[in-house]
Protein backbone atom coordinates (compact mmCIF):
# COMPACT_ATOMS: atom_id res chain seq x y z
CA UNK A 1 0.00 0.00 0.00
CA UNK A 2 1.29 3.45 -0.84
CA UNK A 3 -0.08 6.92 -0.28
CA UNK A 4 -1.63 8.93 -3.09
CA UNK A 5 0.04 12.28 -3.83
CA UNK A 6 -2.63 14.34 -2.09
CA UNK A 7 -2.18 12.21 1.02
CA UNK A 8 1.60 12.68 0.87
CA UNK A 9 1.07 16.41 1.03
CA UNK A 10 -1.46 16.15 3.83
CA UNK A 11 0.96 14.17 6.02
CA UNK A 12 4.18 15.86 4.90
CA UNK A 13 5.08 17.00 8.44
CA UNK A 14 4.78 13.43 9.68
CA UNK A 15 6.69 11.90 6.82
CA UNK A 16 9.75 14.10 7.30
CA UNK A 17 10.03 12.89 10.89
CA UNK A 18 12.57 10.02 11.08
CA UNK A 19 10.33 8.39 13.72
CA UNK A 20 7.40 8.22 11.28
CA UNK A 21 8.53 8.39 7.65
CA UNK A 22 6.59 6.99 4.72
CA UNK A 23 6.44 3.50 6.22
CA UNK A 24 5.09 4.84 9.49
CA UNK A 25 2.46 6.91 7.73
CA UNK A 26 1.34 3.85 5.77
CA UNK A 27 1.12 1.93 9.06
CA UNK A 28 -1.14 4.66 10.46
CA UNK A 29 -3.28 4.62 7.32
CA UNK A 30 -3.73 0.86 7.73
CA UNK A 31 -4.61 1.08 11.42
CA UNK A 32 -8.06 0.62 12.91
CA UNK A 33 -8.67 2.31 16.26
CA UNK A 34 -11.81 2.13 18.39
CA UNK A 35 -12.55 5.25 20.44
CA UNK A 36 -14.82 4.48 23.37
CA UNK A 37 -16.23 7.60 24.98
CA UNK A 38 -16.50 10.69 22.79
CA UNK A 39 -16.33 13.22 25.60
CA UNK A 40 -13.67 15.50 27.03
CA UNK A 41 -10.89 12.99 26.33
CA UNK A 42 -12.31 11.34 23.23
CA UNK A 43 -13.02 14.59 21.37
CA UNK A 44 -9.45 15.95 21.18
CA UNK A 45 -8.11 12.39 20.82
CA UNK A 46 -10.33 11.91 17.77
CA UNK A 47 -9.11 15.19 16.27
CA UNK A 48 -5.45 14.19 16.55
CA UNK A 49 -5.99 10.58 15.47
CA UNK A 50 -7.92 11.75 12.42
CA UNK A 51 -5.26 14.37 11.79
CA UNK A 52 -2.66 11.59 11.97
CA UNK A 53 -4.45 9.75 9.18
CA UNK A 54 -5.58 6.70 11.15
CA UNK A 55 -7.34 4.94 8.28
CA UNK A 56 -10.27 3.41 10.10
CA UNK A 57 -12.03 4.65 13.23
CA UNK A 58 -14.86 3.09 15.21
CA UNK A 59 -16.67 5.71 17.30
CA UNK A 60 -18.48 4.41 20.36
CA UNK A 61 -20.69 6.46 22.69
CA UNK A 62 -24.33 6.12 23.71
CA UNK A 63 -24.71 9.69 24.96
CA UNK A 64 -26.16 12.88 23.57
CA UNK A 65 -24.44 16.23 23.31
CA UNK A 66 -25.40 18.57 26.12
CA UNK A 67 -24.78 22.30 26.30
CA UNK A 68 -22.47 21.83 29.30
CA UNK A 69 -20.26 19.51 27.19
CA UNK A 70 -19.16 22.25 24.81
CA UNK A 71 -16.72 23.79 27.29
CA UNK A 72 -14.34 20.84 26.73
CA UNK A 73 -15.72 18.42 24.10
CA UNK A 74 -14.06 20.11 21.16
CA UNK A 75 -15.67 18.33 18.20
CA UNK A 76 -19.19 19.51 19.03
CA UNK A 77 -20.86 22.85 18.35
CA UNK A 78 -24.04 24.46 19.58
CA UNK A 79 -26.09 22.94 16.76
CA UNK A 80 -25.13 19.42 17.95
CA UNK A 81 -26.83 19.83 21.34
CA UNK A 82 -29.52 17.18 21.69
CA UNK A 83 -28.04 14.97 18.97
CA UNK A 84 -26.17 11.72 19.52
CA UNK A 85 -22.46 12.03 20.20
CA UNK A 86 -21.48 9.17 17.89
CA UNK A 87 -23.49 10.62 14.98
CA UNK A 88 -22.16 14.13 15.62
CA UNK A 89 -18.59 12.83 15.85
CA UNK A 90 -19.01 11.03 12.53
CA UNK A 91 -20.21 14.28 10.98
CA UNK A 92 -17.15 16.09 12.32
CA UNK A 93 -14.93 13.36 10.87
CA UNK A 94 -16.62 13.41 7.45
CA UNK A 95 -16.08 17.17 7.25
CA UNK A 96 -12.47 16.85 8.34
CA UNK A 97 -11.26 14.02 6.08
CA UNK A 98 -13.69 12.03 3.96
CA UNK A 99 -10.96 9.49 3.07
CA UNK A 100 -11.04 8.00 6.56
CA UNK A 101 -13.35 5.02 7.07
CA UNK A 102 -15.68 5.33 10.03
CA UNK A 103 -18.09 3.04 11.84
CA UNK A 104 -20.27 4.11 14.72
CA UNK A 105 -21.81 2.40 17.68
CA UNK A 106 -24.28 4.30 19.87
CA UNK A 107 -25.08 1.49 22.27
CA UNK A 108 -23.93 1.47 25.87
CA UNK A 109 -20.85 -0.72 26.30
CA UNK A 110 -21.14 -3.39 28.99
CA UNK A 111 -19.46 -6.70 29.73
CA UNK A 112 -21.78 -8.54 27.33
CA UNK A 113 -21.29 -6.23 24.36
CA UNK A 114 -17.72 -4.96 24.71
CA UNK A 115 -16.13 -7.80 22.76
CA UNK A 116 -18.33 -7.37 19.72
CA UNK A 117 -17.83 -3.60 19.76
CA UNK A 118 -14.05 -3.86 19.39
CA UNK A 119 -13.81 -6.83 17.02
CA UNK A 120 -11.03 -6.46 14.49
CA UNK A 121 -9.46 -3.25 15.78
CA UNK A 122 -5.71 -2.79 16.32
CA UNK A 123 -6.04 -0.57 19.38
CA UNK A 124 -8.74 0.62 21.75
CA UNK A 125 -8.60 4.10 23.28
CA UNK A 126 -10.94 4.28 26.24
CA UNK A 127 -11.86 7.72 27.54
CA UNK A 128 -15.11 6.79 29.27
CA UNK A 129 -15.89 8.15 32.70
CA UNK A 130 -16.90 5.14 34.77
CA UNK A 131 -15.08 2.11 36.12
CA UNK A 132 -17.67 -0.50 35.14
CA UNK A 133 -17.33 0.33 31.45
CA UNK A 134 -13.56 0.67 31.66
CA UNK A 135 -13.17 -2.74 33.29
CA UNK A 136 -15.53 -4.36 30.77
CA UNK A 137 -13.49 -2.84 27.95
CA UNK A 138 -10.24 -4.01 29.53
CA UNK A 139 -11.47 -7.59 29.90
CA UNK A 140 -12.67 -7.60 26.29
CA UNK A 141 -9.31 -6.29 25.08
CA UNK A 142 -7.42 -9.03 26.94
CA UNK A 143 -9.76 -11.70 25.57
CA UNK A 144 -9.37 -10.43 21.99
CA UNK A 145 -5.62 -9.78 22.22
CA UNK A 146 -6.04 -6.04 21.58
CA UNK A 147 -3.89 -3.41 23.32
CA UNK A 148 -5.66 -0.75 25.36
CA UNK A 149 -4.92 2.87 26.05
CA UNK A 150 -6.95 3.90 29.05
CA UNK A 151 -7.25 7.60 29.86
CA UNK A 152 -9.10 9.38 32.64
CA UNK A 153 -9.35 12.87 34.06
CA UNK A 154 -10.90 14.47 37.11
CA UNK A 155 -10.57 18.10 38.14
CA UNK A 156 -6.86 18.79 37.56
CA UNK A 157 -5.54 15.21 37.64
CA UNK A 158 -5.27 12.98 34.61
CA UNK A 159 -3.88 9.54 33.87
CA UNK A 160 -2.99 7.74 30.67
CA UNK A 161 -1.80 4.13 30.64
CA UNK A 162 -0.97 1.59 27.93
CA UNK A 163 -1.97 -2.00 28.65
CA UNK A 164 -1.19 -5.26 26.88
CA UNK A 165 -2.67 -7.72 29.38
CA UNK A 166 -3.01 -10.36 26.67
CA UNK A 167 0.78 -10.69 26.73
CA UNK A 168 2.26 -12.94 29.42
CA UNK A 169 4.44 -10.33 31.14
CA UNK A 170 2.26 -7.25 30.96
CA UNK A 171 -0.48 -5.84 33.16
CA UNK A 172 -4.05 -5.17 32.14
CA UNK A 173 -6.14 -2.25 33.41
CA UNK A 174 -7.82 -4.56 35.94
CA UNK A 175 -4.38 -5.43 37.41
CA UNK A 176 -4.15 -1.71 38.20
CA UNK A 177 -7.58 -0.98 39.69
CA UNK A 178 -8.69 -4.40 40.95
CA UNK A 179 -12.23 -5.72 41.09
CA UNK A 180 -13.76 -3.31 43.60
CA UNK A 181 -15.14 -0.92 41.03
CA UNK A 182 -17.08 -3.24 38.73
CA UNK A 183 -20.41 -2.08 40.11
CA UNK A 184 -19.46 1.56 40.47
CA UNK A 185 -20.52 4.30 38.15
CA UNK A 186 -18.22 7.13 39.10
CA UNK A 187 -19.11 10.00 36.87
CA UNK A 188 -17.21 12.55 38.91
CA UNK A 189 -17.10 15.07 36.09
CA UNK A 190 -20.61 16.38 36.66
CA UNK A 191 -20.06 16.63 40.41
CA UNK A 192 -16.51 17.87 40.63
CA UNK A 193 -16.08 20.19 37.68
CA UNK A 194 -13.42 20.10 35.03
CA UNK A 195 -11.19 22.69 33.43
CA UNK A 196 -11.67 22.19 29.69
CA UNK A 197 -8.00 22.47 28.76
CA UNK A 198 -7.13 19.79 31.36
CA UNK A 199 -9.31 17.27 29.55
CA UNK A 200 -7.69 18.43 26.32
CA UNK A 201 -4.19 17.77 27.67
CA UNK A 202 -5.13 14.24 28.68
CA UNK A 203 -6.91 13.55 25.38
CA UNK A 204 -4.10 14.80 23.19
CA UNK A 205 -1.51 12.95 25.28
CA UNK A 206 -3.60 9.79 24.87
CA UNK A 207 -3.55 10.37 21.09
CA UNK A 208 0.25 10.70 21.20
CA UNK A 209 0.52 7.42 23.11
CA UNK A 210 -1.86 5.76 20.63
CA UNK A 211 0.35 6.80 17.73
CA UNK A 212 3.35 5.49 19.70
CA UNK A 213 1.69 2.07 20.03
CA UNK A 214 0.66 1.97 16.36
CA UNK A 215 4.16 2.87 15.19
CA UNK A 216 5.95 0.47 17.53
CA UNK A 217 5.96 -2.30 14.94
CA UNK A 218 7.48 0.03 12.34
CA UNK A 219 10.40 1.13 14.53
CA UNK A 220 8.73 4.45 15.04
CA UNK A 221 8.78 5.96 18.49
CA UNK A 222 10.19 2.80 20.03
CA UNK A 223 8.75 1.27 23.17
CA UNK A 224 4.93 1.16 23.29
CA UNK A 225 5.26 1.66 27.08
CA UNK A 226 3.11 -1.25 28.22
CA UNK A 227 2.28 -1.01 31.90
CA UNK A 228 3.44 2.58 32.21
CA UNK A 229 0.91 4.91 33.78
CA UNK A 230 1.50 8.59 33.21
CA UNK A 231 0.01 10.91 35.81
CA UNK A 232 -0.71 14.44 34.64
CA UNK A 233 -1.09 17.18 37.24
CA UNK A 234 -2.59 20.37 35.89
CA UNK A 235 -2.16 22.40 39.06
CA UNK A 236 1.61 22.00 39.60
CA UNK A 237 1.84 21.45 36.58
CA UNK A 238 3.87 18.27 36.23
CA UNK A 239 3.95 14.71 34.94
CA UNK A 240 5.20 11.58 36.58
CA UNK A 241 5.22 7.95 35.55
CA UNK A 242 4.64 4.76 37.48
CA UNK A 243 4.97 1.14 36.43
CA UNK A 244 1.98 -1.22 36.74
CA UNK A 245 3.02 -4.82 37.30
CA UNK A 246 1.02 -7.84 36.22
CA UNK A 247 -1.11 -9.24 39.04
CA UNK A 248 -0.83 -13.03 38.88
CA UNK A 249 -4.28 -13.38 40.48
CA UNK A 250 -6.00 -10.83 38.23
CA UNK A 251 -9.21 -12.30 36.87
CA UNK A 252 -8.92 -10.15 33.78
CA UNK A 253 -5.61 -11.45 32.48
CA UNK A 254 -4.29 -14.37 34.53
CA UNK A 255 -3.09 -17.24 32.42
CA UNK A 256 -5.52 -20.13 32.57
CA UNK A 257 -3.28 -23.18 32.95
CA UNK A 258 -6.09 -25.62 33.61
ZN1 LIG B 1 -4.79 -8.10 34.74
Amino acid sequence: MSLFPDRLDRFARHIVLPQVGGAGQVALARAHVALIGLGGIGSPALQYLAGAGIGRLTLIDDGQVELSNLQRQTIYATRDVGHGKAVSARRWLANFDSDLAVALNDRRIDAAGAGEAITGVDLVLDGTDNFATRLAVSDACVAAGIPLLSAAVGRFQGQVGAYAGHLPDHACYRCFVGDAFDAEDCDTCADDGMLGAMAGWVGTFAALQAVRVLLAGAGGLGDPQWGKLHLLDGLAPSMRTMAIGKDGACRGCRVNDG
Side-chain angles (χ1 to χ4, degrees), residues 88-99:
S88 300
R90 181 174 62 180
R91 185 164 54 225
W92 178 87
L93 192 60
N95 284 329
F96 177 73
D97 184 353
S98 59
D99 280 2

Side-chain angles (χ1 to χ4, degrees), residues 142 165 170-176 246-247 250-254:
V142 172
H170 293 295
C172 77
Y173 178 74
R174 186 181 288 279
C175 291
F176 169 42
K246 196 174 185 81
D247 176 356
C250 171
R251 68 181 177 87
C253 69
R254 71 179 166 222

Side-chain angles (χ1 to χ4, degrees), residues 159-249:
Q159 58 183 46
V160 178
Y163 301 93
H166 56 288
L167 300 177
D169 297 328
H170 293 295
C172 77
Y173 178 74
R174 186 181 288 279
C175 291
F176 169 42
V177 301
D179 299 335
F181 296 109
D182 273 301
E184 299 275 326
D185 193 356
C186 306
D187 186 353
T188 56
C189 186
D191 301 331
D192 289 354
M194 170 86 62
L195 195 78
M198 184 67 212
W201 184 23
V202 175
T204 53
F205 184 69
L208 170 66
Q209 297 300 85
V211 169
R212 185 187 308 279
V213 168
L214 294 170
L215 290 178
L221 299 168
D223 180 5
Q225 303 198 339
W226 303 137
K228 284 204 177 134
L229 182 70
H230 299 280
L231 303 169
L232 292 72
D233 181 340
L235 279 181
S238 65
M239 275 184 76
R240 62 192 178 90
T241 303
M242 57 188 281
I244 308 297
K246 196 174 185 81
D247 176 356

Side-chain angles (χ1 to χ4, degrees), residues 9-257:
D9 204 22
R10 188 171 186 120
F11 303 113
R13 297 299 185 279
H14 269 174
I15 292 167
V16 296
L17 287 170
Q19 292 87 350
V20 182
Q25 192 58 49
V26 169
L28 295 177
R30 285 178 173 163
H32 183 180
V33 173
L35 264 168
I36 307 182
L38 301 166
I41 291 170
S43 295
L46 172 59
Q47 290 180 298
Y48 279 98
L49 292 178
I54 305 298
R56 184 171 292 272
L57 291 153
T58 296
L59 309 176
I60 304 174
D61 197 302
D62 70 331
Q64 293 197 328
V65 180
E66 299 175 14
L67 192 59
S68 64
N69 297 155
L70 302 185
Q71 158 258 20
R72 65 194 180 284
Q73 301 186 14
T74 47
I75 55 176
Y76 307 121
T78 310
R79 65 168 185 165
D80 296 316
V81 172
H83 296 271
K85 286 189 178 179
V87 171
S88 300
R90 181 174 62 180
R91 185 164 54 225
W92 178 87
L93 192 60
N95 284 329
F96 177 73
D97 184 353
S98 59
D99 280 2
L100 305 180
V102 57
L104 73 80
N105 181 340
D106 58 6
R107 283 174 295 179
R108 184 157 186 86
I109 298 301
D110 56 17
E116 184 185 343
I118 63 171
T119 298
V121 310
D122 300 302
L123 173 69
V124 172
L125 197 165
D126 184 356
T128 56
D129 57 10
N130 71 85
F131 282 111
T133 303
R134 298 158 69 78
L135 287 165
V137 168
S138 175
D139 291 348
C141 284
V142 172
I146 298 169
L148 169 67
L149 266 175
S150 196
V153 62
R155 293 191 176 179
F156 290 93
Q157 308 297 317
Q159 58 183 46
V160 178
Y163 301 93
H166 56 288
L167 300 177
D169 297 328
H170 293 295
C172 77
Y173 178 74
R174 186 181 288 279
C175 291
F176 169 42
V177 301
D179 299 335
F181 296 109
D182 273 301
E184 299 275 326
D185 193 356
C186 306
D187 186 353
T188 56
C189 186
D191 301 331
D192 289 354
M194 170 86 62
L195 195 78
M198 184 67 212
W201 184 23
V202 175
T204 53
F205 184 69
L208 170 66
Q209 297 300 85
V211 169
R212 185 187 308 279
V213 168
L214 294 170
L215 290 178
L221 299 168
D223 180 5
Q225 303 198 339
W226 303 137
K228 284 204 177 134
L229 182 70
H230 299 280
L231 303 169
L232 292 72
D233 181 340
L235 279 181
S238 65
M239 275 184 76
R240 62 192 178 90
T241 303
M242 57 188 281
I244 308 297
K246 196 174 185 81
D247 176 356
C250 171
R251 68 181 177 87
C253 69
R254 71 179 166 222
V255 177
N256 185 350
D257 53 9

